[in-house]
């Protein structure tokens, strides 16, 4: 071997040694000596009651339960109102990442916003936890190694509802759908279940986000003669649609089927208009002593308000993320996501729940019936849980997914 080759070999060995030493150093420690988590959702608009300030309250409880720090590094929360506008949500995410040192984002944004934010988080290798965004494509064709789905999506939620109603002979359907990715995804997934079960979709209409007048849409739905009118919307839109449907008398001849109902909406609308409605939910505050105890804490921290599905998911997502940071000793996105997916979720609402490679939190779902006013015995006593759907039956099977992350398992 010549002196030159010997020298080059020595340099290569030295560089290799330096790279080996450098790799764990990059994956250790917390950038900026602070763990910063962004909470992004609608703070004042039609979806504010679903998440909004209540999700911030749940996030603060999670941070408090960690003592405000991880391994001696302070935890900070930063909050942004995305105003249900994709350009604003994307701009906020870029500002957070470029200028404010955000390590992770918990989103309860419209799917159209979340798609843009997800691309940024994937490129920057930062965890993005969905705790209220429902598009099923986030764990299917749009899956990302940095995204996890914590609540429920447009595949799982309508699946049980549609199957149950088809079994009862409700075989013709009409969709009243909010006009953006979330609503359209919900309608598409529900339509697949309807057709697979031998049912038929006889029509549909799209309505703008944050609509106040549903009269023309409801009259079209009424004229369709469909046995079921599926409401593929949420938030204030859902509440307005239900109340106006009752005024038109639609529920006397046609079944109103909510696909995006949360318990806070049930509270706002009232049991008189929603009694006996069937739904699928990932969480109910009155399920067991642990859920009741945490719901009491939440109510005390947030003006006595009810703990809904998205706010409980926010707490769980942040808690699991912080546990991963504590275990790895770093806020490095790749290291934290690997730890999150390799560690079962255990908290007040989930026990030994895993996260699949596509980011799906494999939690069970619950089938519920909304009680009549006479059946409700105390504050927020709204649901009768009539069954449990195991995770492997609730979520999209890996065999049906086109997510590349599942192929690498």
């Amino acid at each position: 071997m010549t002196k030159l080759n010997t020298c080059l070999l020595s340099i290569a060995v030295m560089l290799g040694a330096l790279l080996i030493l450098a790799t764990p150093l990059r994956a250790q420690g917390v950038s900026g000596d602070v763990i910063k988590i962004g909470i992004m959702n609608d703070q004042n608009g039609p979806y504010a009651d679903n998440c909004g300030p209540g999700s911030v309250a749940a996030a603060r409880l999670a941070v408090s339960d960690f003592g405000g720090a991880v391994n001696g590094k302070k935890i900070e929360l930063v909050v942004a109102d995305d105003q249900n506008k994709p350009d604003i949500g994307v701009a906020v995410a870029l500002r957070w990442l470029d200028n404010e040192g955000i390590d992770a984002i918990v989103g309860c944004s419209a799917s159209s916003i979340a798609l843009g934010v997800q691309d940024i988080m994937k490129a920057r290798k930062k965890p993005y936890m969905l705790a209220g965004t429902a598009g099923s494509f986030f764990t299917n064709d749009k899956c990302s190694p940095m995204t996890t789905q914590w609540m429920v999506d447009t595949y799982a939620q309508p699946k049980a509802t549609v199957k149950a109603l088809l079994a009862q002979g409700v075989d013709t359907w009409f969709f009243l759908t909010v006009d953006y990715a979330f609503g359209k995804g919900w309608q598409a997934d529900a339509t697949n279940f309807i057709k697979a079960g031998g049912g038929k979709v006889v029509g549909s209409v799209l309505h703008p986000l944050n609509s106040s007048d549903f009269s023309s849409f409801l009259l079209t739905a009424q004229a369709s003669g469909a046995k079921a009118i599926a409401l593929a919307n949420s938030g204030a839109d859902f509440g307005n649609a239900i109340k106006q449907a009752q005024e038109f008398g639609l529920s006397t001849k046609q079944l109103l089927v909510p696909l995006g109902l949360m318990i806070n909406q049930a509270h706002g609308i009232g049991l008189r208009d929603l009694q006996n409605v069937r739904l699928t939910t990932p969480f109910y505050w009155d399920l067991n002593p642990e859920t009741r105890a945490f719901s009491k804490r939440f109510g005390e921290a947030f003006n006595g308000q009810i703990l809904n599905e998205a706010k409980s998911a926010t707490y769980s997502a942040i808690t699991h993320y912080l546990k991963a940071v504590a275990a790895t000793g770093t806020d490095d996105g790749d290291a934290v996501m690997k730890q999150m997916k390799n560690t079962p979720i255990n908290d007040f609402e989930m026990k030994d729940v895993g996260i699949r490679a596509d980011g799906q939190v494999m939690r069970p779902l619950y089938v519920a019936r909304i009680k009549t006013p006479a059946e409700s015995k105390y504050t927020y006593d709204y649901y009768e849980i009539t069954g449990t759907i195991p995770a492997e039956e609730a979520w999209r099977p890996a065999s049906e997914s086109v997510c590349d992350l599942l192929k690498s398992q």
Side-chain angles (χ1 to χ4, degrees):
M1 182 178 290
T2 68
K3 289 184 178 181
L4 177 61
N5 287 339
T6 302
C7 182
L8 290 174
L9 180 60
S10 298
I11 292 172
V13 170
M14 289 173 65
L15 287 173
L18 286 172
L19 287 172
I20 292 171
L21 289 172
T23 299
L25 289 175
R26 284 198 300 270
Q28 290 176 356
V30 171
S31 57
D33 280 338
V34 62
I35 301 158
K36 279 194 173 185
I37 303 171
I39 309 295
M40 183 188 296
N41 58 44
D42 174 6
Q43 288 283 304
N44 298 289
Y47 293 149
D49 193 39
N50 284 0
C51 302
S55 287
V56 177
R60 287 175 178 155
L61 282 176
V63 172
S64 175
D65 287 350
F66 245 86
V70 175
N71 299 336
K73 305 299 182 182
K74 183 181 177 182
I75 306 165
E76 288 186 9
L77 294 178
V78 182
V79 181
D81 184 352
D82 60 34
Q83 300 178 43
N84 292 305
K85 297 177 181 178
D87 57 335
I88 291 178
V90 167
V92 167
L94 287 171
R95 186 185 77 240
W96 276 353
L97 294 168
D98 290 341
N99 303 325
E100 300 183 30
I102 288 292
D103 298 303
I105 295 177
V106 180
C108 186
S109 300
S111 296
S112 53
I113 299 171
L115 282 169
V117 175
Q118 172 177 262
D119 288 343
I120 297 168
M121 301 300 278
K122 180 180 179 181
R124 304 296 181 87
K125 295 187 177 182
K126 300 289 186 180
Y128 187 35
M129 295 163 277
L130 301 178
T133 303
S136 65
F137 37 75
F138 289 105
T139 54
N140 191 32
D141 55 307
K142 303 292 185 183
C143 68
S144 163
M146 289 292 121
T147 299
T148 47
Q149 171 60 276
W150 287 80
M151 204 186 69
V152 74
D153 66 12
T154 57
Y155 177 96
Q157 195 157 28
K159 181 178 181 180
T161 303
V162 167
K163 284 188 172 183
L165 291 175
L166 286 173
Q168 297 171 21
V170 181
D171 55 4
T172 55
W173 295 67
F174 186 96
F175 281 90
L176 179 60
T177 303
V178 63
D179 189 10
Y180 71 94
F182 154 72
K184 293 175 181 178
W186 216 305
Q187 179 175 332
D189 284 329
T191 296
N192 288 337
F193 295 127
I194 291 167
K195 291 181 177 179
K200 182 180 180 181
V201 176
V202 298
S204 65
V205 289
L206 294 171
H207 72 81
L209 177 65
N210 205 15
S211 296
S212 59
D213 184 3
F214 284 84
S215 56
S216 62
F217 307 122
L218 291 169
L219 287 173
T220 302
Q222 189 175 45
S224 73
K227 294 178 183 178
I229 300 173
L231 302 174
N233 53 20
S234 189
D237 286 332
F238 174 78
N240 289 334
I242 281 284
K243 290 177 181 177
Q244 291 173 39
Q246 296 292 359
E247 292 170 4
F248 279 103
L250 267 68
S251 63
T252 60
K253 294 183 179 180
Q254 294 166 292
L255 186 65
L256 300 175
V257 182
L259 296 179
L261 180 65
M262 293 191 203
I263 197 167
N264 55 290
Q265 296 166 285
H267 175 71
I269 296 167
L271 298 184
R272 182 180 65 84
D273 290 335
L274 288 174
Q275 58 187 304
N276 294 317
V277 164
R278 268 66 172 179
L279 69 147
T280 306
T281 182
F283 171 77
Y284 180 45
W285 75 271
D286 205 11
L287 193 64
N288 57 51
E290 272 192 276
T291 58
R292 285 189 284 274
F294 185 84
S295 297
K296 181 181 178 181
R297 285 186 60 207
F298 177 82
E300 291 170 348
F302 193 56
N303 305 317
Q305 292 196 27
I306 191 170
L307 180 67
N308 74 356
E309 297 87 335
K311 294 160 191 173
S312 63
T314 296
Y315 177 94
S316 293
I318 291 177
T319 298
H320 195 62
Y321 169 78
L322 292 174
K323 287 179 179 179
V325 172
T328 58
T330 181
D331 57 4
D332 175 79
D334 284 329
V336 171
M337 285 301 304
K338 182 178 180 180
Q339 180 69 19
M340 289 176 69
K341 290 182 178 180
N342 287 341
T343 308
I345 302 163
N346 279 289
D347 58 29
F348 77 95
E349 66 166 336
M350 287 183 271
K351 303 300 178 189
D352 294 324
V353 168
I355 302 177
R356 203 163 60 181
D358 59 355
Q360 180 62 61
V361 173
M362 297 298 289
R363 61 191 301 173
L365 298 180
Y366 304 99
V367 180
R369 178 185 68 87
I370 297 181
K371 294 182 177 181
T372 66
E375 290 174 314
S376 181
K377 302 304 181 185
Y378 44 87
T379 305
Y380 302 134
D381 177 26
Y382 294 159
Y383 292 176
E384 176 193 6
I385 301 300
T386 60
T388 300
I389 306 173
E392 59 271 19
E393 295 178 18
W395 305 102
R396 187 192 307 275
S399 60
E400 294 181 10
S401 176
V402 297
C403 175
D404 290 337
L405 298 172
L406 290 172
K407 298 175 183 178
S408 62
Q409 289 191 116

